[in-house]
Amino acid sequence: MKWKGTRESDNVEDRRGMSSGGKTIVGGGIIGIIILLVNVFGGENAQMITPILEQMQGSQSNQTEAAAPLSKEDEEMGHFVKTVLAKTEDTWDKKFAELGMTYKKPKLVLFRGSVNTACGGASSASGPFYCPGDQKVYMDLGFFEELKTKFGAEGGDFAIAYVIAHEIGHHIQTLLGTSAKMRQAQEGKSEAEANKLSVALELQADFYAGVWAHDNQQYIEAGDIEEALSAAHAVGDDAIQSKMQGHVVPDSFTHGTSEQRMYWFKKGYKTGDINQGNTFDEIR
């Protein structure tokens, strides 16, 4: 991705150089992996489940640890994240203005190990997520190494950009009231039906990530879209379940299949039209 020399956002809180204390997941184990899979790419409901799973995990540390200083690579990645966030701000400022609305910019928090949020405590095992309670995106960039080594994604800077854009998609849903409507619609539904609505919410966030990519084509290089699609494929519910348990249970899907995630990202990228992202109607 061509990003150097362009505007950086002021809405990034870089906490990676701070000491981290309290509950920090180390090693992982099966519960740690489950936490990662439950939270990957930021379903809001996952924030209620993660603390329970973390209590079950035996490999925890309750002592304060000094964070390692930022390396040049860390600093470079911080600049990249700030630049990508700035480009999401530019895109959604314009899109909201077209709707006669004002875009409220979210904060993005970079952290290591563990972090406190309005949605509760979280660890790096949670993966990137959006907290509607404080309207912030939280990311431990170590997740992207996991995405490559455990889930087979290609990696690359545009995979990170895609994840950021996806999480900002959840912020868009909060601002437009989509998330609240989805939670209301889940009330009284069977688990399978409620899961379908969760899938629709996640796929729409993928669509919004594609809309962002469409609006920033001048910065996209050869192979970037493939990096995003590789990441989307790696975190499909079917791909994860097949890798972790050897079979898939469609009624338990909460984020969508690999094919669905790639389809909706590509649709957003091709159209750039937020009016074509009604995933709730199309998955019924």
Side-chain angles (χ1 to χ4, degrees):
M1 180 178 178
K2 294 178 285 187
W3 62 274
K4 292 185 177 181
T6 58
R7 184 178 75 86
E8 295 185 7
S9 174
D10 295 325
N11 293 308
V12 172
E13 299 176 18
D14 196 340
R15 303 182 190 175
R16 293 175 297 168
M18 299 179 182
S19 61
S20 61
K23 186 168 54 179
T24 303
I25 292 184
V26 294
I30 187 62
I31 297 298
I33 293 173
I34 293 171
I35 292 171
L36 176 63
L37 301 189
V38 166
N39 285 283
V40 70
F41 280 26
E44 294 177 14
N45 295 333
Q47 289 304 302
M48 296 182 290
I49 301 172
T50 300
I52 299 172
L53 293 173
E54 288 182 343
Q55 289 176 12
M56 295 168 59
Q57 187 179 40
S59 55
Q60 294 178 349
S61 170
N62 290 313
Q63 62 188 38
T64 300
E65 297 179 1
L70 297 182
S71 65
K72 288 185 178 180
E73 184 179 15
D74 290 333
E75 292 178 353
E76 179 89 346
M77 187 56 65
H79 289 299
F80 174 73
V81 169
K82 290 177 182 179
T83 302
V84 172
L85 185 63
K87 297 189 188 312
T88 68
E89 292 168 349
D90 294 342
T91 293
W92 293 108
D93 272 339
K94 182 177 70 174
K95 298 294 185 185
F96 270 58
E98 292 171 355
L99 297 173
M101 302 172 65
T102 300
Y103 178 57
K104 181 181 178 182
K105 298 177 177 63
K107 298 282 188 179
L108 189 153
V109 179
L110 294 174
F111 72 96
R112 282 176 174 160
S114 62
V115 67
N116 292 320
T117 81
C119 297
S123 76
S124 55
S126 299
F129 65 93
Y130 171 73
C131 173
D134 54 21
Q135 296 190 2
K136 294 181 179 181
V137 172
Y138 292 87
M139 299 182 70
D140 184 328
L141 294 173
F143 164 77
F144 295 99
E145 192 61 34
E146 298 277 318
L147 200 61
K148 287 192 294 183
T149 58
K150 289 188 177 179
F151 303 109
E154 291 181 6
D157 59 8
F158 204 77
I160 299 174
Y162 157 61
V163 174
I164 293 172
H166 173 99
E167 299 306 335
I168 296 300
H170 286 304
H171 180 61
I172 303 305
Q173 292 167 328
T174 295
L175 296 181
L176 296 179
T178 309
S179 299
K181 290 178 182 177
M182 187 276 290
R183 287 192 293 271
Q184 281 186 329
Q186 285 180 318
E187 294 178 3
K189 294 286 196 302
S190 67
E191 182 178 356
E193 289 299 314
N195 284 345
K196 283 185 180 180
L197 293 170
S198 178
V199 166
L201 195 75
E202 293 298 328
L203 296 179
Q204 189 178 67
D206 281 329
F207 172 82
Y208 287 151
V211 169
W212 170 79
H214 176 275
D215 204 55
N216 288 272
Q217 293 184 54
Q218 67 269 37
Y219 303 112
I220 293 175
E221 298 178 298
D224 281 349
I225 296 302
E226 287 75 17
E227 289 175 7
L229 292 173
S230 176
H233 182 277
V235 293
D237 284 320
D238 54 341
I240 290 173
Q241 289 188 2
S242 180
K243 182 179 290 288
M244 299 307 300
Q245 61 192 33
H247 64 280
V248 300
V249 183
D251 282 349
S252 70
F253 290 173
T254 58
H255 288 65
T257 66
S258 296
E259 182 178 356
Q260 286 175 315
R261 301 200 71 161
M262 292 189 295
Y263 169 81
W264 282 104
F265 174 81
K266 287 190 290 186
K267 184 172 183 178
Y269 178 61
K270 289 178 180 178
T271 67
D273 181 2
I274 62 173
N275 295 312
Q276 296 194 40
N278 190 346
T279 54
F280 292 89
D281 278 350
E282 294 206 24
I283 68 165
R284 290 175 182 172

